[in-house]
Amino acid sequence: MCRYQANANAMSASNSTTEDGDGDGSNESKSMVAPTKISPPWPDDPISASASADTSAAYTSTARLRALYDRWTFSYMDRIFRKGALQKTDKSVQAQLTKYDLYQTPKDDEAALLNAKFWQLYKETDHNFFRTLWYLASPTFVPAGFCQLVALGSQLSIPMCVMQLLQAVETSFASPGGGNILDETVLYVLLIFFLSIVNAFCTHRYQFLSYRSGIVIRTAVTSAIYQHSL
């Protein structure tokens, strides 16, 4: 009986000590606020007025060229690709891709904004559904069509340049003096190289803008249907 009472006293003393320690730890944890993880903003989003005022000196022409380069080459995705590639060798938790590694939804494509814009345009077009969808998608669909037009022109021009290149080579070999094949063909070679680059850039941009147009229409219509059914 005495041994049982002694064990009970020891357990109560240890529990009180643990509670005191837990209380101190909780106070310390409350005093230390854990940092909140936030996904980076979408690279194409415009800088807000307050942010642009703070970074007006740093936002030089070089930064504008960098933003233009990122927009057409999608180089802002390299950060995600590099971290994804490291997962093959590094199996730690810190090396795994999470939702915070992805970019935020573009400001212009948020559901609340598109829903409000849909109903506003729906009223301005006298409840014309198709005109409303056109006004919603035209900011991205029209540039997508222009990029597709340039890409198609490049694709049609490359075979013609190849034909001219072959004719220049045949003419050079058929000439009595042999001719200077480099001077006669370098222009067509450079044109083929340039048109291939233009085709790649415009095709990728066209696909991106086309997908974004579809996302805008789908998000706006889904949000409008959901709001109308409530």
Side-chain angles (χ1 to χ4, degrees), residues 26-77:
S26 62
N27 293 333
E28 292 178 359
S29 62
K30 290 180 181 179
S31 60
M32 297 177 61
V33 179
T36 304
K37 290 184 177 181
I38 301 177
S39 299
W42 184 251
D44 285 347
D45 281 343
I47 302 177
S48 60
S50 59
S52 60
D54 297 336
T55 60
S56 57
Y59 198 69
T60 59
S61 58
T62 305
R64 293 179 184 274
L65 291 176
R66 176 66 182 180
L68 182 63
Y69 173 80
D70 292 340
R71 179 177 299 177
W72 281 87
T73 61
F74 308 102
S75 60
Y76 48 78
M77 297 298 297

Side-chain angles (χ1 to χ4, degrees), residues 90-122:
D90 191 354
K91 302 299 182 181
S92 62
V93 178
Q94 293 78 9
Q96 304 304 309
L97 282 171
T98 64
K99 63 178 182 180
Y100 300 107
D101 294 320
L102 302 177
Y103 293 101
Q104 299 178 14
T105 304
K107 297 296 183 181
D108 296 336
D109 296 349
E110 292 181 353
L113 178 62
L114 290 176
N115 183 39
K117 187 182 295 185
F118 175 87
W119 289 113
Q120 179 183 358
L121 293 173
Y122 191 66

Side-chain angles (χ1 to χ4, degrees), residues 4 11 14 18 38 49-50 62-63 65 122 130 140 155 190 212-213 225:
Y4 177 80
M11 291 177 63
S14 62
T18 305
I38 301 177
S50 59
T62 305
L65 291 176
Y122 191 66
F130 294 103
T140 52
Q155 294 172 9
L190 292 177
R212 190 170 182 180
S213 300
I225 293 175

Side-chain angles (χ1 to χ4, degrees), residues 128-193:
N128 191 319
F129 180 72
F130 294 103
R131 286 181 61 190
T132 301
L133 296 184
W134 168 252
Y135 287 135
L136 280 173
S138 57
T140 52
F141 190 75
V142 172
F146 177 75
C147 291
Q148 176 65 359
L149 179 63
V150 176
L152 184 60
S154 301
Q155 294 172 9
L156 295 175
S157 300
I158 290 176
M160 291 187 291
C161 291
V162 173
M163 181 183 66
Q164 295 295 329
L165 175 63
L166 295 177
Q167 290 180 354
V169 172
E170 292 177 356
T171 303
S172 177
F173 282 115
S175 61
N180 192 344
I181 189 172
L182 180 62
D183 294 338
E184 297 177 0
T185 59
V186 64
L187 177 61
Y188 302 112
V189 173
L190 292 177
L191 279 176
I192 294 172
F193 177 74

